[in-house]
Amino acid sequence: MRGHSLHVTPTKIPGLVSISPVHHGDHRGYFCEVFKDGWFRENVADVTFVQDNESLSADVGTMRGLHFQLDPFAQGKLVRCIKGALFDVAVDIRHGSPTFGQWVGVELSAENGQQLWVPPGMAHGFMTLKPDTMIAYKVTAPYSAENDRGLRWNDPAIGISWPQSVDCILSDKDKKQPMLADMPAYFHCHAREAN
């Protein structure tokens, strides 16, 4: 297996990237590398992942998010879908960033194998597109209930174009998250980080 086994595609938000693995296959199936620590540190972000998480959403239209954690437990997340399909979204909530309040959405599925790297300072969420969808993600900090925060999934000032606009299944917690304009300035972006 020669050449690069993972490809990075930048998005309009600095630091937020899509990662695509190369599948090596034949009539039996395929093999692919989905994560390499050294490669990730060199090509995406020099971070240490401390935990792997997985969740199952039974119904189409299940919405989880938009979530983030405050320092010192701010999380970077490397997200992929291992069963089904989902629309994965990150919103830049770093005050001073040229892309503050902007969002990026990527369809992640078991078929396409794509991943999304969501650095700290972003609110993250997803909506399922198929039944029994499973998401798996690495995080750079453990869960902290004290530092757990959220942003309203349908804030009109952000204007995320979710694939489903009706019959969205939300937790009570996510129905009550604040709008971006009502949130304190939890994260700040310095000029060097914006490039």
Side-chain angles (χ1 to χ4, degrees), residues 53-64 79-88 106-114 124-137 162-164 169:
N53 298 329
E54 180 180 300
S55 75
L56 170 72
S57 298
D59 298 315
V60 173
T62 298
M63 160 66 62
R64 298 185 188 269
V79 187
R80 68 188 184 112
C81 178
I82 56 176
K83 182 183 178 190
L86 56 93
F87 187 65
D88 204 52
V106 177
E107 184 172 327
L108 306 180
S109 69
E111 287 75 27
N112 69 24
Q114 277 194 287
H124 170 260
F126 64 89
M127 178 179 281
T128 58
L129 305 175
K130 291 185 178 179
D132 297 321
T133 286
M134 291 179 71
I135 183 174
Y137 56 102
W162 295 102
Q164 313 259 347
I169 303 164

Side-chain angles (χ1 to χ4, degrees), residues 14-169:
L16 180 72
V17 299
S18 174
I19 301 168
S20 303
V22 175
H23 288 74
H24 305 276
D26 57 24
H27 65 280
R28 300 167 300 164
Y30 72 86
F31 168 85
C32 71
E33 295 175 335
V34 296
F35 177 75
K36 291 165 57 173
D37 182 71
W39 178 91
F40 193 89
R41 289 176 186 275
E42 185 178 328
N43 294 282
V44 181
D46 189 10
V47 297
T48 299
F49 291 103
V50 300
Q51 187 171 311
D52 280 26
N53 298 329
E54 180 180 300
S55 75
L56 170 72
S57 298
D59 298 315
V60 173
T62 298
M63 160 66 62
R64 298 185 188 269
L66 302 157
H67 301 149
F68 59 95
Q69 289 190 170
L70 306 181
D71 284 329
F73 293 95
Q75 292 179 321
K77 297 179 181 179
L78 181 59
V79 187
R80 68 188 184 112
C81 178
I82 56 176
K83 182 183 178 190
L86 56 93
F87 187 65
D88 204 52
V89 170
V91 179
D92 189 348
I93 56 172
R94 302 168 299 172
H95 284 259
S97 167
T99 53
F100 176 77
Q102 293 184 33
W103 64 278
V104 166
V106 177
E107 184 172 327
L108 306 180
S109 69
E111 287 75 27
N112 69 24
Q114 277 194 287
Q115 302 176 62
L116 190 66
W117 162 243
V118 182
M122 310 280 161
H124 170 260
F126 64 89
M127 178 179 281
T128 58
L129 305 175
K130 291 185 178 179
D132 297 321
T133 286
M134 291 179 71
I135 183 174
Y137 56 102
K138 296 179 172 298
V139 292
T140 59
Y143 174 72
S144 168
E146 282 182 27
N147 295 276
D148 185 30
R149 298 291 186 278
L151 172 65
R152 188 78 58 86
W153 70 281
N154 60 350
D155 185 338
I158 300 169
I160 299 169
S161 298
W162 295 102
Q164 313 259 347
S165 58
V166 294
D167 298 328
C168 183
I169 303 164

